[in-house]
Coordinates of all heavy atoms in Angstrom, one line a residue:
M699 N 99.4 91.1 106.4 CA 100.7 91.4 106.8 C 100.7 92.1 108.1 O 100.1 93.1 108.3 CB 101.5 92.2 105.7 CG 101.4 91.7 104.3 SD 102.7 90.5 104.2 CE 102.3 89.9 102.5
S700 N 101.5 91.7 109.0 CA 101.6 92.3 110.3 C 102.9 93.1 110.4 O 103.9 92.7 110.0 CB 101.6 91.2 111.4 OG 101.7 91.8 112.7
V701 N 102.7 94.4 110.8 CA 103.9 95.3 110.9 C 103.9 95.9 112.3 O 102.9 95.9 113.1 CB 103.8 96.4 109.9 CG1 103.8 95.9 108.5 CG2 102.6 97.3 110.1
N702 N 105.1 96.4 112.7 CA 105.2 97.1 114.0 C 105.3 98.5 113.7 O 106.1 99.0 112.9 CB 106.5 96.6 114.7 CG 106.5 95.2 115.1 OD1 105.5 94.7 115.6 ND2 107.5 94.4 114.7
V703 N 104.4 99.3 114.4 CA 104.3 100.7 114.2 C 104.9 101.5 115.4 O 104.4 101.3 116.5 CB 102.9 101.2 113.9 CG1 102.8 102.7 113.6 CG2 102.3 100.4 112.7
R704 N 105.9 102.3 115.2 CA 106.4 103.1 116.3 C 105.7 104.4 116.4 O 105.5 105.1 115.4 CB 107.9 103.3 116.0 CG 108.8 102.1 116.3 CD 110.2 102.2 116.0 NE 110.6 102.3 114.6 CZ 110.6 101.2 113.8 NH1 110.3 100.0 114.3 NH2 111.0 101.3 112.6
I705 N 105.2 104.7 117.5 CA 104.3 105.8 117.8 C 105.0 106.9 118.5 O 105.6 106.7 119.6 CB 103.0 105.3 118.6 CG1 102.3 104.1 118.0 CG2 102.1 106.5 118.9 CD1 101.7 104.4 116.7
P706 N 105.0 108.1 117.9 CA 105.6 109.2 118.6 C 104.9 109.6 119.9 O 103.7 109.3 120.1 CB 105.6 110.4 117.6 CG 104.4 110.1 116.8 CD 104.3 108.6 116.7
T707 N 105.6 110.2 120.8 CA 105.0 110.6 122.1 C 103.7 111.3 122.0 O 102.7 111.0 122.7 CB 106.0 111.4 122.9 OG1 107.2 110.7 123.0 CG2 105.5 111.7 124.3
I708 N 103.6 112.2 121.1 CA 102.4 113.1 121.0 C 101.2 112.3 120.6 O 100.0 112.7 120.8 CB 102.7 114.2 120.0 CG1 101.6 115.3 120.1 CG2 102.7 113.7 118.5 CD1 102.0 116.6 119.5
L709 N 101.3 111.1 120.0 CA 100.2 110.3 119.6 C 99.9 109.1 120.5 O 99.0 108.3 120.3 CB 100.4 109.8 118.1 CG 100.5 110.8 117.0 CD1 100.7 110.1 115.7 CD2 99.3 111.7 117.0
R710 N 100.7 109.0 121.5 CA 100.5 107.8 122.4 C 99.3 107.9 123.2 O 98.8 106.8 123.8 CB 101.8 107.7 123.3 CG 103.0 107.2 122.5 CD 104.2 107.0 123.3 NE 105.3 106.8 122.5 CZ 106.6 106.9 122.8 NH1 106.9 107.2 124.1 NH2 107.5 106.8 121.9
T711 N 98.6 109.0 123.3 CA 97.3 109.0 124.0 C 96.3 108.1 123.3 O 95.4 107.7 123.9 CB 96.8 110.5 124.1 OG1 96.7 111.0 122.8 CG2 97.6 111.3 125.0
Y712 N 96.5 107.9 122.0 CA 95.6 107.1 121.2 C 95.9 105.6 121.4 O 95.1 104.7 121.1 CB 95.6 107.4 119.7 CG 95.2 108.9 119.5 CD1 96.1 109.9 119.3 CD2 93.9 109.2 119.4 CE1 95.7 111.2 119.1 CE2 93.5 110.5 119.2 CZ 94.4 111.5 119.0 OH 94.0 112.8 118.8
T713 N 97.1 105.3 121.8 CA 97.5 103.9 122.0 C 97.7 103.5 123.4 O 98.4 102.5 123.7 CB 98.9 103.7 121.2 OG1 99.9 104.5 121.8 CG2 98.8 104.0 119.8
G714 N 97.1 104.2 124.3 CA 97.2 103.9 125.7 C 98.6 104.0 126.3 O 99.0 103.3 127.2
G715 N 99.4 104.9 125.7 CA 100.7 105.2 126.2 C 101.8 104.3 125.5 O 103.0 104.4 125.8
R716 N 101.3 103.3 124.7 CA 102.3 102.4 124.1 C 103.1 103.1 123.0 O 102.6 103.8 122.1 CB 101.5 101.2 123.5 CG 100.9 100.4 124.6 CD 100.0 99.3 124.2 NE 100.7 98.4 123.3 CZ 100.1 97.5 122.4 NH1 98.8 97.5 122.4 NH2 100.8 96.7 121.7
A717 N 104.4 102.8 123.0 CA 105.3 103.4 122.0 C 105.4 102.6 120.7 O 105.8 103.1 119.7 CB 106.7 103.5 122.6
E718 N 104.9 101.4 120.8 CA 104.9 100.5 119.6 C 103.7 99.6 119.6 O 103.3 99.1 120.7 CB 106.2 99.6 119.5 CG 106.4 98.9 118.2 CD 107.7 98.3 118.1 OE1 108.7 99.1 118.2 OE2 107.8 97.1 117.9
V719 N 103.0 99.5 118.5 CA 101.8 98.7 118.4 C 101.9 97.9 117.1 O 102.6 98.3 116.2 CB 100.5 99.6 118.4 CG1 100.3 100.3 119.7 CG2 100.5 100.5 117.2
E720 N 101.1 96.8 117.0 CA 101.0 96.1 115.8 C 99.8 96.5 115.0 O 98.8 97.0 115.5 CB 100.9 94.6 116.1 CG 102.2 93.9 116.6 CD 102.1 92.4 116.7 OE1 101.1 91.8 116.1 OE2 103.0 91.8 117.3
A721 N 100.0 96.4 113.7 CA 98.9 96.8 112.7 C 99.0 95.8 111.6 O 100.0 95.2 111.3 CB 99.0 98.2 112.3
E722 N 97.9 95.7 110.9 CA 97.8 94.8 109.7 C 97.7 95.6 108.4 O 97.1 96.6 108.4 CB 96.6 93.8 109.8 CG 96.6 93.0 111.1 CD 97.7 91.9 111.0 OE1 98.0 91.4 109.9 OE2 98.2 91.6 112.1
G723 N 98.2 95.1 107.3 CA 98.0 95.7 106.0 C 99.2 95.5 105.1 O 100.3 95.4 105.5
A724 N 98.9 95.3 103.8 CA 99.9 95.1 102.8 C 100.4 96.4 102.3 O 101.5 96.5 101.6 CB 99.3 94.3 101.6
T725 N 99.7 97.5 102.5 CA 100.1 98.9 102.1 C 100.0 99.8 103.3 O 99.3 99.5 104.3 CB 99.3 99.5 101.0 OG1 97.9 99.7 101.5 CG2 99.2 98.5 99.8
L726 N 100.7 101.0 103.2 CA 100.6 101.9 104.3 C 99.2 102.4 104.6 O 98.8 102.5 105.7 CB 101.5 103.1 104.0 CG 101.5 104.2 105.1 CD1 102.0 103.6 106.4 CD2 102.4 105.4 104.6
A727 N 98.4 102.5 103.5 CA 97.0 102.9 103.7 C 96.2 101.9 104.5 O 95.5 102.3 105.4 CB 96.3 103.1 102.3
E728 N 96.5 100.6 104.3 CA 95.8 99.6 105.0 C 96.3 99.5 106.5 O 95.5 99.3 107.4 CB 96.0 98.2 104.4 CG 95.3 98.1 103.0 CD 95.7 96.8 102.3 OE1 96.4 95.9 102.9 OE2 95.2 96.6 101.2
V729 N 97.6 99.8 106.7 CA 98.1 99.9 108.0 C 97.5 101.0 108.8 O 97.1 100.8 110.0 CB 99.7 100.0 108.0 CG1 100.2 100.4 109.4 CG2 100.3 98.7 107.5
I730 N 97.3 102.2 108.2 CA 96.7 103.3 108.9 C 95.2 103.0 109.2 O 94.7 103.3 110.3 CB 96.8 104.6 108.1 CG1 98.3 105.0 108.0 CG2 95.9 105.7 108.6 CD1 98.6 106.1 107.1
E731 N 94.5 102.3 108.3 CA 93.1 101.8 108.5 C 93.1 100.9 109.8 O 92.2 101.0 110.6 CB 92.6 101.1 107.3 CG 92.1 102.0 106.2 CD 91.5 101.2 105.1 OE1 90.9 100.1 105.3 OE2 91.7 101.6 103.9
S732 N 94.1 100.0 109.8 CA 94.1 99.1 111.0 C 94.4 99.8 112.3 O 93.8 99.5 113.3 CB 95.2 98.0 110.7 OG 95.4 97.2 111.8
L733 N 95.3 100.8 112.2 CA 95.6 101.6 113.4 C 94.3 102.3 113.8 O 94.0 102.3 115.0 CB 96.7 102.7 113.1 CG 98.1 102.2 113.1 CD1 99.0 103.4 112.6 CD2 98.5 101.7 114.4
E734 N 93.6 102.9 112.9 CA 92.4 103.6 113.2 C 91.3 102.7 113.9 O 90.6 103.1 114.8 CB 91.8 104.3 112.0 CG 90.5 105.1 112.3 CD 90.7 106.3 113.2 OE1 91.8 106.8 113.4 OE2 89.7 106.7 113.8
K735 N 91.2 101.5 113.3 CA 90.3 100.5 113.9 C 90.6 100.2 115.3 O 89.7 100.1 116.2 CB 90.3 99.2 113.0 CG 89.4 98.2 113.5 CD 89.5 96.9 112.6 CE 88.8 95.8 113.2 NZ 89.1 94.5 112.4
N736 N 91.8 100.0 115.6 CA 92.2 99.6 117.0 C 92.6 100.8 117.9 O 92.6 100.6 119.1 CB 93.4 98.7 116.9 CG 93.1 97.4 116.2 OD1 92.1 96.7 116.6 ND2 93.9 97.0 115.2
H737 N 92.8 101.9 117.4 CA 93.2 103.1 118.1 C 92.5 104.3 117.5 O 93.1 105.2 116.9 CB 94.7 103.3 118.1 CG 95.5 102.1 118.5 ND1 95.5 101.7 119.8 CD2 96.1 101.2 117.8 CE1 96.2 100.5 119.8 NE2 96.6 100.2 118.6
P738 N 91.1 104.4 117.7 CA 90.3 105.5 117.1 C 90.9 106.9 117.3 O 91.3 107.2 118.5 CB 89.0 105.3 117.8 CG 88.9 103.9 118.2 CD 90.3 103.6 118.6
G739 N 90.9 107.7 116.3 CA 91.4 109.1 116.3 C 92.8 109.3 115.8 O 93.2 110.4 115.4
I740 N 93.6 108.2 115.7 CA 95.0 108.3 115.3 C 95.1 108.7 113.8 O 95.9 109.5 113.4 CB 95.8 107.1 115.6 CG1 97.3 107.4 115.7 CG2 95.5 105.9 114.7 CD1 98.1 106.4 116.3
A741 N 94.2 108.2 113.0 CA 94.3 108.5 111.5 C 94.1 110.0 111.3 O 94.8 110.5 110.4 CB 93.2 107.7 110.8
A742 N 93.3 110.7 112.0 CA 93.0 112.1 111.8 C 94.3 112.9 112.1 O 94.4 114.0 111.6 CB 91.9 112.6 112.6
R743 N 95.2 112.4 112.9 CA 96.4 113.1 113.2 C 97.5 112.8 112.2 O 98.5 113.5 112.1 CB 96.9 112.6 114.6 CG 95.9 112.9 115.7 CD 95.7 114.4 115.9 NE 96.9 115.1 116.2 CZ 97.3 115.7 117.3 NH1 96.4 115.7 118.3 NH2 98.4 116.3 117.4
V744 N 97.3 111.7 111.4 CA 98.3 111.3 110.4 C 97.9 111.8 109.0 O 98.7 112.2 108.2 CB 98.6 109.8 110.4 CG1 99.5 109.4 109.4 CG2 99.1 109.4 111.8
L745 N 96.6 111.7 108.7 CA 96.0 112.1 107.4 C 95.3 113.4 107.5 O 94.6 113.7 108.5 CB 95.1 111.0 107.0 CG 95.6 109.6 106.9 CD1 94.5 108.6 106.5 CD2 96.8 109.5 105.9
D746 N 95.3 114.1 106.3 CA 94.6 115.4 106.2 C 93.1 115.1 105.8 O 92.7 114.0 105.7 CB 95.3 116.4 105.3 CG 95.3 115.9 103.8 OD1 94.6 115.0 103.4 OD2 96.2 116.4 103.1
D747 N 92.4 116.2 105.6 CA 90.9 116.1 105.2 C 90.7 115.4 103.9 O 89.6 114.9 103.6 CB 90.3 117.4 105.2 CG 90.2 118.1 106.6 OD1 90.3 117.3 107.6 OD2 90.1 119.3 106.7
Q748 N 91.7 115.4 103.0 CA 91.6 114.7 101.7 C 92.1 113.2 101.8 O 92.2 112.6 100.8 CB 92.4 115.5 100.7 CG 91.8 116.8 100.2 CD 92.0 117.9 101.3 OE1 93.1 118.0 101.9 NE2 90.9 118.6 101.6
G749 N 92.5 112.8 103.0 CA 93.0 111.4 103.1 C 94.4 111.2 102.7 O 94.8 110.0 102.6
Q750 N 95.2 112.3 102.6 CA 96.6 112.2 102.3 C 97.4 112.4 103.5 O 96.9 112.9 104.5 CB 96.9 113.2 101.2 CG 96.2 113.0 99.9 CD 96.4 111.7 99.3 OE1 97.6 111.3 99.1 NE2 95.4 111.0 99.0
L751 N 98.7 112.0 103.5 CA 99.6 112.2 104.6 C 99.7 113.7 104.9 O 99.8 114.5 104.0 CB 100.9 111.6 104.4 CG 101.0 110.1 104.3 CD1 102.4 109.7 103.9 CD2 100.7 109.5 105.7
R752 N 99.6 114.0 106.2 CA 99.7 115.4 106.5 C 101.1 115.9 106.2 O 102.1 115.2 106.2 CB 99.5 115.6 108.1 CG 98.1 115.4 108.4 CD 97.8 115.9 109.9 NE 96.4 115.8 110.2 CZ 95.5 116.7 110.0 NH1 95.9 117.9 109.4 NH2 94.3 116.5 110.3
R753 N 101.2 117.2 105.8 CA 102.5 117.7 105.3 C 103.6 117.7 106.4 O 104.7 117.5 106.0 CB 102.2 119.2 105.0 CG 103.3 119.9 104.4 CD 102.9 121.3 103.9 NE 104.1 122.0 103.5 CZ 104.2 123.3 103.4 NH1 103.1 124.0 103.6 NH2 105.3 123.9 103.0
F754 N 103.2 117.8 107.6 CA 104.3 117.8 108.7 C 104.4 116.5 109.5 O 104.8 116.6 110.6 CB 104.0 119.0 109.6 CG 104.2 120.3 108.8 CD1 103.0 121.1 108.6 CD2 105.4 120.8 108.3 CE1 103.1 122.3 107.9 CE2 105.5 121.9 107.6 CZ 104.4 122.7 107.4
V755 N 104.0 115.5 108.8 CA 104.1 114.1 109.4 C 104.9 113.3 108.5 O 104.6 113.2 107.3 CB 102.8 113.4 109.7 CG1 103.0 112.0 110.2 CG2 101.9 114.2 110.7
N756 N 106.1 112.8 109.0 CA 106.9 111.9 108.1 C 106.6 110.5 108.5 O 106.5 110.2 109.7 CB 108.4 112.3 108.4 CG 108.7 113.7 108.0 OD1 108.3 114.1 106.9 ND2 109.3 114.4 108.9
V757 N 106.6 109.6 107.5 CA 106.3 108.2 107.8 C 107.4 107.4 107.0 O 107.7 107.7 105.8 CB 104.9 107.8 107.3 CG1 104.7 106.3 107.6 CG2 103.8 108.6 108.0
Y758 N 107.9 106.4 107.7 CA 109.0 105.6 107.1 C 108.5 104.1 107.2 O 108.0 103.7 108.2 CB 110.3 105.7 107.9 CG 110.9 107.1 107.7 CD1 110.5 108.2 108.5 CD2 111.9 107.3 106.8 CE1 111.0 109.4 108.4 CE2 112.4 108.6 106.6 CZ 112.0 109.6 107.4 OH 112.6 110.9 107.2
V759 N 108.8 103.4 106.2 CA 108.6 101.9 106.2 C 110.0 101.4 106.2 O 110.8 101.6 105.2 CB 107.8 101.4 105.0 CG1 107.8 99.9 105.0 CG2 106.3 101.9 105.1
N760 N 110.4 100.7 107.2 CA 111.8 100.4 107.5 C 112.5 101.7 107.5 O 112.2 102.5 108.3 CB 112.3 99.3 106.6 CG 111.6 98.0 106.8 OD1 111.3 97.6 107.9 ND2 111.3 97.3 105.7
D761 N 113.5 101.9 106.7 CA 114.2 103.2 106.7 C 113.9 104.1 105.5 O 114.6 105.0 105.3 CB 115.7 102.9 106.8 CG 116.1 102.3 108.1 OD1 115.5 102.7 109.1 OD2 117.1 101.5 108.1
D762 N 112.8 103.7 104.8 CA 112.5 104.5 103.6 C 111.4 105.4 103.8 O 110.3 105.1 104.2 CB 112.1 103.5 102.4 CG 113.3 102.5 102.1 OD1 114.4 103.0 102.1 OD2 113.0 101.3 101.9
D763 N 111.6 106.7 103.4 CA 110.6 107.8 103.5 C 109.5 107.5 102.5 O 109.8 107.4 101.3 CB 111.3 109.1 103.2 CG 110.3 110.3 103.5 OD1 109.1 110.1 103.4 OD2 110.9 111.4 103.7
V764 N 108.3 107.3 102.9 CA 107.2 106.9 102.0 C 106.9 108.0 101.0 O 106.3 107.7 99.9 CB 105.9 106.5 102.7 CG1 106.2 105.3 103.6 CG2 105.3 107.6 103.5
R765 N 107.3 109.2 101.2 CA 107.0 110.3 100.2 C 107.8 110.1 99.0 O 107.4 110.5 97.9 CB 107.3 111.6 100.8 CG 106.4 112.0 102.0 CD 106.6 113.5 102.4 NE 106.0 113.7 103.7 CZ 104.7 114.0 103.9 NH1 103.9 114.0 102.8 NH2 104.2 114.2 105.1
F766 N 108.9 109.3 99.1 CA 109.7 109.0 97.9 C 109.5 107.6 97.4 O 110.2 107.2 96.5 CB 111.2 109.3 98.2 CG 111.5 110.7 98.7 CD1 111.7 111.0 100.0 CD2 111.4 111.7 97.8 CE1 111.9 112.3 100.5 CE2 111.6 113.0 98.2 CZ 111.9 113.3 99.5
E767 N 108.7 106.8 98.1 CA 108.4 105.4 97.7 C 107.1 105.3 97.0 O 107.1 104.7 95.9 CB 108.5 104.6 98.9 CG 109.8 104.5 99.6 CD 110.9 104.0 98.7 OE1 110.7 102.9 98.1 OE2 112.0 104.6 98.7
G768 N 106.0 105.6 97.5 CA 104.7 105.4 96.9 C 103.6 106.0 97.8 O 102.5 105.7 97.6
G769 N 104.0 106.8 98.8 CA 103.0 107.4 99.6 C 102.2 106.3 100.3 O 102.7 105.4 100.9
L770 N 100.9 106.5 100.3 CA 100.0 105.6 101.0 C 100.0 104.2 100.4 O 99.6 103.2 101.0 CB 98.6 106.1 101.1 CG 98.4 107.4 102.0 CD1 97.1 108.0 101.9 CD2 98.7 107.0 103.5
A771 N 100.4 104.1 99.1 CA 100.5 102.8 98.4 C 101.8 102.0 98.7 O 101.9 100.9 98.2 CB 100.3 103.1 96.9
T772 N 102.6 102.6 99.5 CA 103.9 101.9 99.8 C 103.6 100.6 100.4 O 102.8 100.4 101.3 CB 104.7 102.8 100.8 OG1 105.0 104.1 100.2 CG2 106.0 102.1 101.1
S773 N 104.3 99.6 99.9 CA 104.2 98.2 100.4 C 104.7 98.1 101.9 O 105.7 98.7 102.2 CB 105.0 97.3 99.5 OG 105.0 96.0 100.0
T774 N 104.0 97.3 102.7 CA 104.4 97.1 104.1 C 104.5 95.6 104.3 O 103.6 94.9 104.7 CB 103.4 97.7 105.0 OG1 102.1 97.3 104.7 CG2 103.4 99.2 105.0
P775 N 105.7 95.0 103.9 CA 105.9 93.6 104.0 C 105.7 93.1 105.5 O 105.9 93.9 106.4 CB 107.3 93.4 103.5 CG 107.9 94.7 103.2 CD 106.9 95.7 103.5
D776 N 105.4 91.9 105.6 CA 105.2 91.2 106.9 C 106.5 91.5 107.8 O 107.6 91.2 107.3 CB 105.0 89.7 106.7 CG 104.4 89.1 108.0 OD1 103.6 89.8 108.7 OD2 104.8 88.0 108.3
G777 N 106.3 91.9 109.0 CA 107.4 92.2 109.9 C 108.1 93.5 109.7 O 109.0 93.8 110.4
A778 N 107.6 94.3 108.8 CA 108.2 95.7 108.5 C 108.1 96.5 109.8 O 107.1 96.4 110.6 CB 107.6 96.3 107.3
G779 N 108.9 97.5 109.9 CA 108.8 98.5 110.9 C 108.3 99.8 110.2 O 108.8 100.3 109.2
V780 N 107.2 100.4 110.8 CA 106.7 101.6 110.3 C 106.9 102.7 111.4 O 106.5 102.4 112.6 CB 105.2 101.5 110.0 CG1 104.6 102.8 109.6 CG2 105.0 100.5 108.9
S781 N 107.5 103.8 111.0 CA 107.7 104.9 112.0 C 106.9 106.1 111.6 O 107.0 106.5 110.4 CB 109.2 105.2 112.0 OG 110.0 104.1 112.4
I782 N 106.2 106.6 112.5 CA 105.5 107.9 112.3 C 106.2 109.0 113.1 O 106.4 108.8 114.3 CB 104.0 107.8 112.9 CG1 103.3 106.7 112.1 CG2 103.3 109.2 112.7 CD1 101.9 106.4 112.7
I783 N 106.7 110.0 112.4 CA 107.6 111.0 113.0 C 107.0 112.4 112.7 O 107.1 112.8 111.5 CB 109.0 110.9 112.5 CG1 109.5 109.4 112.8 CG2 109.9 111.9 113.1 CD1 110.8 109.1 112.2
P784 N 106.5 113.1 113.7 CA 106.1 114.5 113.4 C 107.3 115.4 113.1 O 108.4 115.2 113.8 CB 105.4 114.9 114.7 CG 105.9 114.0 115.7 CD 106.3 112.7 115.1
A785 N 107.2 116.2 112.1 CA 108.3 117.1 111.8 C 108.4 118.1 112.9 O 107.4 118.5 113.6 CB 108.0 117.9 110.5
V786 N 109.6 118.5 113.2 CA 109.9 119.5 114.3 C 110.4 120.8 113.6 O 111.3 120.8 112.8 CB 111.0 118.9 115.2 CG1 111.4 120.0 116.3 CG2 110.6 117.6 115.8
A787 N 109.7 121.9 114.0 CA 110.1 123.2 113.5 C 110.7 124.0 114.6 O 110.5 123.8 115.7 CB 108.9 123.9 112.9
G788 N 111.5 124.9 114.2 CA 112.2 125.8 115.2 C 113.1 126.7 114.5 O 113.3 126.7 113.3
G789 N 113.8 127.5 115.3 CA 114.7 128.4 114.8 C 115.2 129.4 115.8 O 114.8 129.3 117.0
C790 N 115.9 130.3 115.4 CA 116.5 131.3 116.3 C 115.6 132.5 116.4 O 114.9 132.8 115.6 CB 117.9 131.7 115.9 SG 119.0 130.4 116.0

């Protein structure tokens, strides 16, 4: 399954500055493996040392937050849009 992955500015150094790249995979885990294969180093920014999604990185398949869908096992149908969004912290 081919999906389009939207890359946040902070991770574009791994994609040669590209804001969107294609990746293959039937699940989010497979998509991240595909990203890592074609853009080495990106997986370490998305996954923690245990291979789980980092706490402060939000990932959406189409408009669904994968934390409420199935995590890394979330299905990524052909043509889906995957968005990687780093959480933003701040305050007064």
Side-chain angles (χ1 to χ4, degrees):
M699 306 280 174
S700 179
V701 299
N702 296 313
V703 184
R704 286 179 284 287
I705 306 296
T707 304
I708 197 164
L709 297 180
R710 290 181 190 165
T711 56
Y712 299 99
T713 62
R716 294 174 55 200
E718 191 168 300
V719 297
E720 286 190 14
E722 300 291 327
T725 65
L726 180 58
E728 292 174 3
V729 167
I730 293 172
E731 283 180 33
S732 176
L733 281 173
E734 180 63 21
K735 179 181 168 189
N736 295 309
H737 309 285
I740 200 165
R743 300 296 301 247
V744 176
L745 303 176
D746 64 18
D747 293 338
Q748 288 74 44
Q750 298 302 309
L751 290 172
R752 289 190 177 274
R753 185 173 173 200
F754 297 110
V755 174
N756 300 308
V757 180
Y758 293 83
V759 174
N760 294 322
D761 292 325
D762 299 320
D763 187 336
V764 300
R765 294 189 195 279
F766 302 106
E767 295 299 315
L770 292 171
T772 301
S773 176
T774 53
D776 196 40
V780 175
S781 300
I782 301 171
I783 303 171
V786 177
C790 295

